[in-house]
Each structure stands twice: as C-alpha cells, then as structure tokens.
Amino acid sequence: MAGIREIDKALFPIKNISSVIQLFKNQLEDACEPDLALLSIVAGAVENSLTCRSNAGLQVCEPVEPTSLPVLELHTIEALYSKFQTIMKSAVEPNKGFKSYATRELVKKVSDVVWNSLTRSYYKDRAHLQSLYSYLTGSKLDCFGVAFAVVAGCQALGYSDVHLALSEDHAWVVFGERGTETAEVTWHGKGNEDKRGQEIGKGVSARSWLYVNNKPVICTRHMEVAALVSAINPSLNATHDAFEVALLQQELLWLLYDLGHLKKYPMAIGNLGDLEEIAPKEGRIACSILFEEAISSARTYYNNQHVYPYTYQGGYFYRNKMYKEAFESWANASDVIRLYNYSRDDEEIYKEFLEIANELIPHIMKVESSGFSANTILKKPECFANLLRFYDGICQWEEGSATPVLHIGWAKPLVNTISKFDAEVRAQVDIVCGRPEDGVSKRANGGYFNNNNYEKENGTSDTDLLSSFSSKTLKDDQSTSNFHPSIEALTAACSEKILNPDYLLQGDGSPFVGGDDAVPLEKENGKPSTSKQEVEEKKEEPAPVATSEKEETAATENKRPTIILHSQKMKELKDLLLAEKLNTHAISLHLTAQSQVQVGKKGRSDSDGGIRPKRARRE
C-alpha cells in the first residue's frame, strides 16, 4: 500500500462519529481497494478508548453528545500504521511487481510473523482483541484477529489475491490465481496452532459445522471491511454496552449495507438487525426484515448451511414474546444443524442450542402455562410439531458422531416441555417417520432438507414423501381387508360392546352381551353390518354431502400439522410422544441412550472420493 492518503489525513484529528464514517466511505468508494490496516487501527482505537476499564464507568448511560469521540490524532494512527508495515516488510519480501500470486509458503510465513509476535496466551473469550490496534499496542489478538491480521499483512505486501474466509465460528484464508487455495492461519480451541499453513480438509472436518460444509463467506476487500466492522464489540461488561461504539458500528454497517457489501454476509446483516432492535433508525427498514434478509442470504448463497441467521430471528421473536414464531425459527435452525456431525469443535453452537432447549423454551412454557388463554401456544399443535422438529434435528446432529450430544440435562427440560401439551393437542400432529434413504439423499453433496417448506430444487419434497406414505398406507389397508364380512363386523364392534361367550361357542343368540338376537349381517356393498338396526339406520341416512362441503371438510383436516422425523431416536419415540399419558421416564431414558454410530445419515456422498469411514468408538 502507498500509505495514508491526503484525503484521509484531512479528516484528522477525529473527534466524532461522522469523521470515522467519512473515512470509511472514502476508503470504500474512492480507493482502488480499502486499506484494511488503516481502517482496523482506527476502529480499534475508538473501541478501545471507549471500552477500556478507566472509561467503562462513564459509558453506561447515554452521553450528552452521543456522536462525540475521544480525540484521535493523526500522528498516533500514522505511528501504528508504519509499525505494522515495518513488521511485515522486514520479515517477508514484498510483491514488487504486484503481478504474482501468493503461495502457501508465503501465507504460512505471514501467519508465522503475526503468531510469533503475540504474547504466549490464548484469548478465546476476551473482548476487544480483534483489531490491529490491539495487536500493535498490546501484542494480543483473538482467533478472528489473527486471520484478519494475516490478510491485512498480505495486502501490505502487495498480494491482492489473499482473502478472508469466514464460517460462523472460525476464519481462514483463500488465495491463488482463482482463489481456490485454502490455508489455516489461526487457531480454534487450544493446541491447534500446528495447523497453520495446512489446507482446509476435504473430509469429515471440512463437512463439520466449524467449516460450514465448504460453504464459508468468501470475502472481497469490501466484505473484509464489513467483517472488521461486524467484529467491533461495544460491550463494557456482561450487561452494558458503550453507547458511542454501538452507534458507530450501526452507522458503519448501514453504510456497508447501502453500498451492497452485506448482501452475501448473513451474520453481518444479523448483527445490524440486533442493533436496529435496540436503537431503531428513523427511515430505515425494520429489524424483522433484516433478520429475514439474513436468512434469505444464507439460503441463496450458502445452500442454507448457516445456523445463526435462524437463531438471530428466533431470539428476536423470543424477546418480543412472539413465541409461536420463535419455535418455528429454532426448528429451522435445527434443520440446518442436522446436516452436520457433532464434534468438540462445535462448542459455540452447542451452547446456543443448549440455551434454547434448557432456558428459553422452559421459560416460554412457564409463562404460557401460568394463565388461562385460548391463544396460548400450548393449544397449538403446530408449536408441538416445531418442538419435535427442533429435537429431531439435534438428535440427527448426534447420529454418527464420535461424541454424544444429548445427556440427562437435555432430557429433563424436554419431557417437562412435552408434558405441558395436552394429549388432544399432541394427537392433532401427524407424525411421519422418514425413510433412511431419504435422509441420505438430502445430504448428498451438501444438500439440505428442511421441514419448513424449503426444498431442494431437484430433490424429493416432503409432499412427495407424504404422498408415497399415504399411497403405501392405502395399499396396506386394502391388502388386509379381505376377511369375511362377519369377522370384520365383529372386529369393528368389539371396541364398543362385550362379546357374548354363548354366541362364540354355539352360534346362538346375540353376538354381544345385551344386544338383540340378530347375527352379523352383510351389507349390499359387501361391507359388514353388526345388526338389523344398523341396516335400518343406513336406509334412513341423509343424501351424500355436496362436493363443496366435502372439499371444505378436507381443507380443514389438511390443516393438521405434519412433521417428518428423520432421527432414529425420535422415530422410536413416536408412540411415547403421542400417548395419552406420557411416560416421561421412558422418554428420558430413550433420549439419552448412546446413539448408533453407523446410521443411514452419514452415508453422504463425496465428490472428492476416498474419505475414510469414521471408526466406531470402543465400548
């Protein structure tokens, strides 16, 4: 990079949010490509000056002048900017011609430079360590910060082909002439630093949630600016945010949104939605629409492989007491996680689902069952269906994984929640057990399968599955109805009356205790009748219902929610879930039973071929 431009220098000293916005706007609109180092240093300086411990007590309340900032002098920023350039160029040869592309060795070398200049500690859950300001002033970076520093370092060296790749909880880089080469440059968890420089795997790990099944957000330079803005953390402590930092982040995200740089970045749109919910901007679109846009982006560009857009939306519905909608969003999130195998690297999303299952849903149940309301979700079978879909996805996430997901801590809240739904409400849900081969085909080549009417273009839909199930049931009914009409008549009436032993032994009298002396008769159409009285009643029956009325009745019946279960655990729980009296102990035992390692789900096809099957754990 040529250094800080005169047009940007003219904005210093920076005293307010509008000056920072203008700096970012200059870089996004006027520059050949945004200077990542400069923008990260400025954003980090503002964030750290307002969230450091000495200022934390002053920022809890909304300030008198909300757009004012601590003064940021040009010489401070220039000194840090020059320091970063010197670190990179003294350790790695710059790309003088700006024509060659980065190699794996070069990317590894840049990551080594960053890594070796950090303090020897991991800062996984510490806030405000994601910017180059933190790196240059304290030699500390979090996981995202290391990856961003590597990309900014490669840009400083003249390599414009190195870009950030982001999953929902990890970051790496892509590079090369076509941008198809991948390399680890940071850590995830503890002890993974030895992976730096390695290619992102094409086997089991690449298909995990951590790597979003090879569907990460591949950033352009402008999207990398969006990433650094989205990573800004306004938090002062667990309960309070720095007002100015949140406002700055919100304004910068709107700038990027207006320029079209968030279109392919679902998490950034979700972050903007959260900020809009807290402090809505007049004239801007509602936060609920932003959450829908985040979901649409994940579906359109990433094959619906991202979970957080749905949990963002579910959290919004929960906070606004739209509990029915929250259940649906959480079930949709579970439909995404079912596409993956659980591993210990999935700690963050595990905690997300655990909070939903063990805190948020139980709270909803407590609120909804505390009063008597006709509109309570406990009377809505679709809410019960979405609850089953939520747990079905988690059970399928567990299937075939080396580590179990569900333990007794999951089971107790589940049985308590299910018990809140009356038997008549649960009975209104049509539960269909999906065939194992359907589950496999939906996962082939990273496909998806949701019960929320979102189908793969060329795949078998839920409607097709239900149609095949119905036709199979009809055939089964026809094949088992070839008994003698008298036997069928007796069978049909046994549920209402007690059989007469004399009739069974000698054939005399009424077939039922307290009935008339008539033996079962056969109707003219070959179907059984249990008595003469029934035949007479048949003659007095009214004319068939008009077609329009039949259609209305069918339409009403079709409103019954249908849930297709795919996990083995939930399929085997079907009868227990629909029983009039719940056997909560049996449900708990079954839910926490060790998952089968070899289940149909994990037969995902792989275009690369040669993936070694996962070994079953020894008992």
Side-chain angles (χ1 to χ4, degrees):
M1 301 296 293
I4 302 176
R5 303 178 306 166
E6 291 301 321
I7 189 175
D8 296 325
K9 289 181 180 180
L11 295 169
F12 288 87
I14 289 176
K15 299 179 180 179
N16 50 47
I17 288 176
S18 59
S19 298
V20 181
I21 301 296
Q22 189 59 50
L23 174 65
F24 274 76
K25 191 172 183 181
N26 289 349
Q27 287 288 322
L28 290 166
E29 292 182 336
D30 303 334
C32 178
E33 65 175 31
D35 190 334
L36 299 181
L38 172 63
L39 297 180
S40 182
I41 290 168
V42 171
V46 173
E47 177 183 336
N48 279 267
S49 64
L50 289 168
T51 58
C52 65
R53 292 183 179 180
S54 59
N55 289 337
L58 305 175
Q59 305 301 323
V60 172
C61 299
E62 183 176 336
V64 178
E65 295 183 28
T67 61
S68 64
L69 298 173
V71 178
L72 199 57
E73 298 289 351
L74 176 61
H75 65 83
T76 304
I77 301 301
E78 276 189 318
L80 294 173
Y81 185 84
S82 298
K83 180 180 179 181
F84 182 71
Q85 298 281 329
T86 302
I87 290 172
M88 290 298 151
K89 292 178 181 178
S90 62
V92 184
E93 183 70 25
N95 184 11
K96 294 179 180 177
F98 294 95
K99 292 182 180 179
S100 61
Y101 297 98
T103 61
R104 187 171 304 280
E105 291 73 21
L106 180 130
V107 171
K108 174 68 163 60
K109 195 169 184 180
V110 173
S111 69
D112 286 344
V113 171
V114 175
W115 188 267
N116 293 330
S117 55
L118 297 176
T119 57
R120 293 299 175 199
S121 298
Y122 292 92
Y123 298 100
K124 186 176 184 297
D125 297 317
R126 286 271 300 276
H128 318 302
L129 300 182
Q130 79 288 351
S131 69
L132 291 184
Y133 180 87
S134 171
Y135 171 62
L136 296 168
T137 57
S139 300
K140 297 176 182 178
L141 284 172
D142 61 13
C143 171
F144 168 83
V146 172
F148 187 89
V150 170
V151 174
C154 289
Q155 183 190 34
L157 294 168
Y159 292 94
S160 59
D161 60 305
V162 182
H163 290 287
L164 202 58
L166 299 170
S167 73
E168 297 187 292
D169 191 40
H170 193 38
W172 59 96
V173 301
V174 296
F175 61 95
E177 185 174 0
R178 295 182 180 83
T180 54
E181 298 283 333
T182 61
E184 291 274 18
V185 292
T186 186
W187 82 94
H188 185 272
K190 266 199 169 185
N192 286 350
E193 64 270 22
D194 57 331
K195 288 186 177 180
R196 286 179 297 109
Q198 293 181 14
E199 184 178 5
I200 301 299
K202 297 184 183 299
V204 174
S205 62
R207 293 175 181 274
S208 68
W209 172 77
L210 188 66
Y211 294 99
V212 287
N213 207 0
N214 285 323
K215 296 292 180 182
V217 175
I218 305 294
C219 295
T220 61
R221 277 287 179 262
H222 296 84
M223 289 174 69
E224 283 155 4
V225 175
L228 83 85
V229 172
S230 189
I232 290 174
N233 189 340
S235 65
L236 293 167
N237 51 47
T239 56
H240 293 93
D241 290 345
F243 182 87
E244 300 94 333
V245 179
L247 181 61
L248 173 63
Q249 184 181 34
Q250 189 175 8
E251 294 285 1
L252 288 174
L253 284 173
W254 273 124
L255 172 64
L256 289 154
Y257 180 92
D258 292 337
L259 295 173
H261 301 313
L262 301 189
K263 185 171 66 171
K264 297 183 179 181
Y265 198 165
M267 279 193 69
I269 301 174
N271 283 343
L272 180 56
D274 271 353
L275 292 166
E276 278 297 304
E277 183 188 358
I278 296 168
K281 290 289 179 186
E282 188 176 350
R284 289 293 189 177
I285 60 177
C287 60
S288 59
I289 297 176
L290 287 171
F291 293 131
E292 290 172 5
E293 286 187 14
I295 291 171
S296 177
S297 174
R299 288 177 167 181
T300 304
Y301 300 108
Y302 305 106
N303 208 20
N304 204 34
Q305 301 281 327
H306 293 199
V307 178
Y308 280 135
Y310 294 106
T311 59
Y312 272 125
Q313 187 186 52
Y316 164 75
F317 287 141
Y318 172 80
R319 290 186 294 272
N320 289 275
K321 296 181 170 54
M322 302 165 68
Y323 297 139
K324 178 184 173 184
E325 292 81 1
F327 267 61
E328 184 176 0
S329 294
W330 291 332
N332 292 343
S334 187
D335 274 337
V336 177
I337 204 65
R338 73 168 73 241
L339 303 175
Y340 300 111
N341 270 5
Y342 172 69
S343 76
R344 295 192 183 278
D345 286 331
D346 298 342
E347 177 188 359
E348 290 302 316
I349 201 65
Y350 175 88
K351 289 191 290 188
E352 188 87 15
F353 279 110
L354 188 66
E355 181 187 20
I356 293 168
N358 291 8
E359 295 180 28
L360 305 189
I361 291 178
H363 175 73
I364 292 173
M365 293 296 106
K366 183 179 179 181
V367 170
E368 290 290 297
S369 60
S370 61
F372 298 95
S373 170
N375 201 37
T376 176
I377 64 169
L378 299 179
K379 300 294 184 185
K380 296 179 180 178
E382 56 267 32
C383 290
F384 181 66
N386 281 326
L387 178 71
L388 297 185
R389 184 153 62 94
F390 174 77
Y391 278 98
D392 185 52
I394 293 172
C395 288
Q396 202 167 8
W397 182 32
E398 180 187 60
E399 284 182 0
S401 303
T403 308
V405 174
L406 299 166
H407 49 71
I408 194 64
W410 288 81
K412 286 184 177 179
L414 170 61
V415 295
N416 289 337
T417 300
I418 291 175
S419 65
K420 301 290 186 186
F421 290 91
D422 291 338
E424 59 184 27
V425 176
R426 288 184 276 114
Q428 292 178 49
V429 178
D430 289 329
I431 299 180
V432 179
C433 294
R435 298 190 298 270
E437 58 270 22
D438 294 320
V440 174
S441 64
K442 290 298 173 183
R443 287 166 184 79
N445 299 319
Y448 50 79
F449 181 84
N450 275 359
N451 284 327
N452 56 334
N453 299 322
Y454 185 59
E455 300 158 2
K456 193 173 181 180
E457 291 179 3
N458 298 319
T460 305
S461 67
D462 282 5
T463 308
D464 298 334
L465 183 57
L466 288 172
S467 300
S468 64
F469 179 81
S470 300
S471 61
K472 183 177 183 297
T473 306
L474 184 62
K475 287 176 185 176
D476 291 345
D477 289 344
Q478 291 171 348
S479 64
T480 57
S481 61
N482 296 325
F483 296 108
H484 190 277
S486 297
I487 297 176
E488 288 192 10
L490 287 170
T491 306
C494 279
S495 61
E496 302 173 359
K497 301 178 181 180
I498 301 173
L499 282 168
N500 182 359
D502 292 335
Y503 175 80
L504 293 176
L505 295 172
Q506 302 172 14
D508 295 332
S510 169
F512 298 102
V513 174
D516 56 30
D517 293 333
V519 294
L521 300 176
E522 187 176 330
K523 295 182 183 179
E524 292 179 2
N525 62 0
K527 293 203 176 171
S529 172
T530 55
S531 66
K532 290 179 181 176
Q533 182 182 355
E534 187 175 331
V535 175
E536 290 173 3
E537 287 174 355
K538 177 67 179 175
K539 293 177 182 177
E540 296 173 5
E541 278 182 7
V545 184
T547 308
S548 60
E549 292 179 21
K550 283 183 178 178
E551 288 174 354
E552 279 182 25
T553 306
T556 305
E557 291 176 353
N558 287 337
K559 288 182 180 177
R560 289 166 58 95
T562 300
I563 169 74
I564 302 178
L565 300 178
H566 298 281
S567 69
Q568 284 301 119
K569 280 187 177 181
M570 292 300 287
K571 284 180 190 177
E572 292 167 7
L573 278 174
K574 175 183 174 181
D575 293 336
L576 290 171
L577 294 169
L578 295 180
E580 186 171 350
K581 187 176 181 181
L582 285 174
N583 187 339
T584 56
H585 186 62
I587 294 173
S588 295
L589 286 175
H590 189 81
L591 199 68
T592 55
Q594 178 67 46
S595 292
Q596 297 293 321
V597 176
Q598 303 298 334
V599 233
K601 172 193 173 185
K602 303 309 168 188
R604 301 187 182 102
S605 64
D606 182 13
S607 56
D608 301 314
I611 292 181
R612 186 179 62 188
K614 189 179 292 183
R615 291 179 298 175
R617 188 171 59 178
R618 290 182 181 178
E619 295 297 333

